[in-house]
Amino acid sequence: MGRPRHGTARQQPPDPAARTLHRPTAAGVAAPGATTLTLVAVEGKPGAAGETGPPALAARGLRHLFREDRGIRDLTLEVPAGSIYGLLGANGSGKSTLLNLLAGLLQPQAGELLILGSEPGRAVAGRCGWVFQEHTLDPLLTARETLSLSASLYRPRGHRPLDEAAAVVGLADRLDDRVGTLSGGMKRRLELARAILHRPDLLIMDEPTLGLDVDSRTAFWRHIAGLNETGLTVLIATNDVREAEEYCTLVAFLREGACAAAGTPRELRRDLRPESLHLRWPGLSPADFSSLSTLDGVSSAARSGDLIRLTTADARSLLPPILTLKSGQLGSIEISESSLEDAYFSLTGGLLN
């Protein structure tokens, strides 16, 4: 299946009602297969604490593995109704397998999966809208013909007027243009208009802004944010940490088919110091990495191959002791503000790209 990837940036403050359940290893990094579930009350949204409505998506102990032992291993997470929920993970983390399970193209081998309170299938499919990673438009049709064709599939449920759907995504004046003449950003917005034509309760997207320029991404997310304000729940699979950090109200870190951590972007960064030090250091010995990890001022340290990431309050103060270490060959040093990518690296021990 073609895989389903700005509005006003919104970040929520830490929620005192949120509880994060971890299953850490001795090293402090979630082990492959470990499950972390964050329960968050989203104030003012459907499905918030105290309401009886089901979450938009609930997975409990979900498993679907392929012969290579890849896929979904032990996934437990909950997507509150009304949220913009990001599934953040590297290629092979299980994002595409989960989307195929949501679409009903795969069946769970174990565990439970509920969409809007029901198991995946025909009954709930009409309540979901999809934006795939690959373009699925006919370049010879006009934008109006594209929407009209999709609208004909939703007659039992009903659909919003074509002009209204086009206006929501800023394409009202391009309805009679052929798809092949539209820019990449306009094509994405047309696919978004098609996805919301039947007024779905859940919008599922797979890396929808992949390949778009900055202006097109910003415009696309502006429309997503506007739709979310009307109560639409959005689930997006991505490995773009900047989008997840800026636009998602909640984020789950996927690693080797399990959820390593989940919460708001601010909660996931909570244990990080304000600065991040990225070192590329082939041949660094375990003993010297241990020395790096215990330097005064280092709050977290993680390693993946030759890449080491440290978070600290003052990265420059660490440079003199770092340069005294002798093993291997230090290739590069980069200092930046700590980000959600540093949190992912620290909590999972893996890289996003």
Side-chain angles (χ1 to χ4, degrees), residues 247-268:
Y247 299 114
C248 294
T249 55
L250 295 168
V251 175
F253 289 164
L254 299 190
R255 170 74 169 163
E256 296 187 4
C259 180
T264 68
R266 184 177 296 182
E267 287 167 346
L268 292 168

Side-chain angles (χ1 to χ4, degrees), residues 17-143:
R19 297 182 291 113
T20 305
L21 310 178
H22 297 282
R23 191 184 302 162
T25 66
V29 177
T35 300
T36 302
L37 170 63
T38 299
L39 306 176
V40 180
V42 184
E43 183 177 355
K45 296 288 188 181
E51 296 190 13
T52 58
L57 184 149
R60 299 179 182 89
L62 187 64
R63 184 174 77 237
H64 187 101
L65 292 173
F66 301 97
R67 289 183 179 179
E68 300 83 3
D69 204 31
R70 300 181 69 178
I72 296 295
R73 185 178 308 278
D74 178 16
L75 181 65
T76 295
L77 61 81
E78 189 169 291
V79 177
S83 62
I84 300 179
Y85 199 103
L87 300 173
L88 191 62
N91 294 336
S93 62
K95 302 190 305 295
S96 294
T97 303
L98 176 58
L99 297 183
N100 280 310
L101 287 165
L102 293 175
L105 299 178
L106 297 174
Q107 298 301 315
Q109 295 168 345
E112 181 181 38
L113 178 62
L114 297 177
I115 306 173
L116 302 169
S118 302
E119 294 183 353
R122 187 180 299 273
V124 76
R127 299 177 62 192
C128 299
W130 289 83
V131 177
F132 303 98
Q133 183 183 39
E134 303 294 337
H135 287 297
T136 56
L137 300 172
D138 187 332
L140 299 181
L141 296 180
T142 65

Side-chain angles (χ1 to χ4, degrees), residues 2-342:
R3 297 196 311 274
R5 196 170 179 110
H6 187 315
T8 302
R10 296 177 298 150
Q11 291 186 359
Q12 297 184 358
D15 189 339
R19 297 182 291 113
T20 305
L21 310 178
H22 297 282
R23 191 184 302 162
T25 66
V29 177
T35 300
T36 302
L37 170 63
T38 299
L39 306 176
V40 180
V42 184
E43 183 177 355
K45 296 288 188 181
E51 296 190 13
T52 58
L57 184 149
R60 299 179 182 89
L62 187 64
R63 184 174 77 237
H64 187 101
L65 292 173
F66 301 97
R67 289 183 179 179
E68 300 83 3
D69 204 31
R70 300 181 69 178
I72 296 295
R73 185 178 308 278
D74 178 16
L75 181 65
T76 295
L77 61 81
E78 189 169 291
V79 177
S83 62
I84 300 179
Y85 199 103
L87 300 173
L88 191 62
N91 294 336
S93 62
K95 302 190 305 295
S96 294
T97 303
L98 176 58
L99 297 183
N100 280 310
L101 287 165
L102 293 175
L105 299 178
L106 297 174
Q107 298 301 315
Q109 295 168 345
E112 181 181 38
L113 178 62
L114 297 177
I115 306 173
L116 302 169
S118 302
E119 294 183 353
R122 187 180 299 273
V124 76
R127 299 177 62 192
C128 299
W130 289 83
V131 177
F132 303 98
Q133 183 183 39
E134 303 294 337
H135 287 297
T136 56
L137 300 172
D138 187 332
L140 299 181
L141 296 180
T142 65
R144 186 184 303 277
E145 289 168 340
T146 298
L147 296 180
S148 179
L149 178 62
S150 294
S152 67
L153 304 176
Y154 294 107
R155 282 174 184 156
R157 177 180 172 89
H159 59 83
R160 67 179 80 215
L162 305 188
D163 290 347
E164 177 187 323
V168 167
V169 300
L171 289 178
D173 60 341
R174 303 299 298 267
L175 272 174
D176 295 316
D177 292 352
R178 291 194 182 278
V179 169
T181 68
L182 302 179
S183 68
M186 290 178 180
K187 290 175 182 176
R188 266 303 184 221
R189 283 187 276 149
L190 178 58
E191 288 176 317
L192 177 58
R194 183 177 61 183
I196 64 169
L197 198 58
H198 58 297
R199 297 187 177 91
D201 300 306
L202 173 62
L203 175 63
I204 303 170
M205 303 190 293
D206 185 8
E207 303 189 42
T209 61
L210 187 65
L212 297 186
D213 59 42
V214 173
D215 289 342
S216 296
R217 286 186 180 213
T218 301
F220 184 86
W221 274 104
R222 182 171 62 249
H223 298 301
I224 293 297
L227 289 163
N228 177 248
E229 289 296 331
T230 70
L232 177 66
T233 305
V234 179
L235 177 67
I236 176 170
T238 183
N239 59 14
D240 189 324
V241 68
R242 292 175 180 83
E243 284 192 341
E245 186 161 17
E246 190 165 359
Y247 299 114
C248 294
T249 55
L250 295 168
V251 175
F253 289 164
L254 299 190
R255 170 74 169 163
E256 296 187 4
C259 180
T264 68
R266 184 177 296 182
E267 287 167 346
L268 292 168
R269 296 193 316 268
R270 183 163 45 201
D271 294 333
L272 299 179
R273 295 291 179 87
E275 291 188 343
S276 176
L277 194 62
H278 302 179
L279 310 172
R280 192 165 294 280
W281 203 326
L284 182 71
S285 68
D288 279 350
F289 174 70
S290 178
S291 297
L292 282 176
S293 304
T294 56
L295 287 175
D296 187 34
V298 172
S299 64
S300 69
R303 179 177 190 172
S304 178
D306 296 337
L307 181 62
I308 293 99
R309 294 194 181 206
L310 312 174
T311 59
T312 178
D314 183 5
R316 286 168 178 78
S317 69
L318 297 178
L319 295 179
I322 285 174
L323 295 175
T324 65
L325 300 177
K326 302 299 184 183
S327 67
Q329 183 174 0
L330 178 59
S332 63
I333 300 176
E334 179 183 343
I335 296 174
S336 62
E337 292 184 2
S338 294
S339 69
L340 198 61
E341 186 169 11
D342 294 299

